[in-house]
Amino acid sequence: MYQIWKGKAYISIALGILFCGSVLIGYMPIPEYAIELTCISNSCIGILLLFTGINMLGKKKEIPGIIYHMWLVTILLVCIVSCVGHFNFHGAFFFLHLVNPLVFLGYYIVFVDDSKKSKQILLAPIPVMMYLAFDYIVGMLKGRFVYGIFKVTAVNLTNAFFIVCGVYISLLLIAAITQYINQKIREMISL
């Protein structure tokens, strides 16, 4: 069991380096875009994975599964929007928009036991909701939202509320599907 624990620790550290490295390679030439959800989600997951690995090698204490699930839902949103919206897939952005989200989905399915507290999926959209609030505030101050999907003048508080509700429900669906997959994998492993 200790070898599996150690293996997970080293895999976490390696993936943390991959995520942080791809963020640095992708965003160092364009630091003004570092406020994009792509950069924030990949950076946070990279730090989470590094911390997970180091923590496991030292203290051997598990991080709650909901933390991974929150960031999984966030990065899967980045992946889905990137694929549908035909975002940049050149160089490091191929990793940031496609590879890293799929790798983290695999990590979550294999290494994270998120099957104990189903009601926690209501918390999974929190990072995206915080980002939308941040984007709304930045948009109101600068006159342009980060991704420029909507014009600031077209989004009042009522529209913003409906956008947030739609995004929250969509993210809950992603959270429910990923948690269901995680639970089924856990059941297969325990047989």
Side-chain angles (χ1 to χ4, degrees), residues 47-65:
I47 292 166
L48 173 64
L49 290 169
L50 286 170
F51 181 75
T52 298
I54 293 166
N55 189 45
M56 289 180 77
L57 289 175
K59 300 176 188 172
K60 297 183 175 135
K61 185 177 179 187
E62 293 269 355
I63 296 171

Side-chain angles (χ1 to χ4, degrees), residues 58-120:
K59 300 176 188 172
K60 297 183 175 135
K61 185 177 179 187
E62 293 269 355
I63 296 171
I66 187 61
I67 304 297
Y68 299 96
H69 204 185
M70 286 179 184
W71 289 107
L72 174 66
V73 168
T74 304
I75 202 164
L76 286 177
L77 176 69
V78 167
C79 180
I80 292 165
V81 170
S82 298
C83 290
V84 172
H86 306 292
F87 282 26
N88 180 359
F89 285 101
H90 296 82
F93 287 94
F94 179 71
F95 281 85
L96 296 169
H97 288 146
L98 188 64
V99 173
N100 290 0
L102 296 177
V103 166
F104 194 61
L105 175 61
Y107 180 91
Y108 171 80
I109 289 170
V110 172
F111 290 117
V112 178
D113 184 359
D114 196 22
S115 61
K116 295 174 184 137
K117 298 178 181 173
S118 295
K119 291 181 183 176
Q120 285 187 346

Side-chain angles (χ1 to χ4, degrees), residues 1-3 7 11-12 17 30 50 70 72 79 84 90 100-101 107-108 118 132 139-140 149 158 163 176 187 190:
M1 185 67 173
Y2 178 72
Q3 292 300 329
I11 289 170
S12 299
I17 292 168
I30 50 169
L50 286 170
M70 286 179 184
L72 174 66
C79 180
V84 172
H90 296 82
N100 290 0
Y107 180 91
Y108 171 80
S118 295
L132 289 176
M140 291 299 137
I149 295 170
T158 306
I163 291 168
E187 287 173 13
S190 66

Side-chain angles (χ1 to χ4, degrees), residues 46 99 178-179:
V99 173
T178 54
Q179 189 171 51

Side-chain angles (χ1 to χ4, degrees), residues 77 125 128-129 131-133 135-136 140 145 148-172:
L77 176 69
V128 175
M129 296 298 105
Y131 184 79
L132 289 176
D135 193 18
Y136 185 78
M140 291 299 137
F145 294 123
I149 295 170
F150 301 106
K151 290 186 179 184
V152 173
T153 55
V155 179
N156 58 28
L157 210 49
T158 306
N159 294 348
F161 174 77
F162 286 115
I163 291 168
V164 165
C165 287
V167 170
Y168 185 81
I169 291 167
S170 300
L171 294 173
L172 278 181

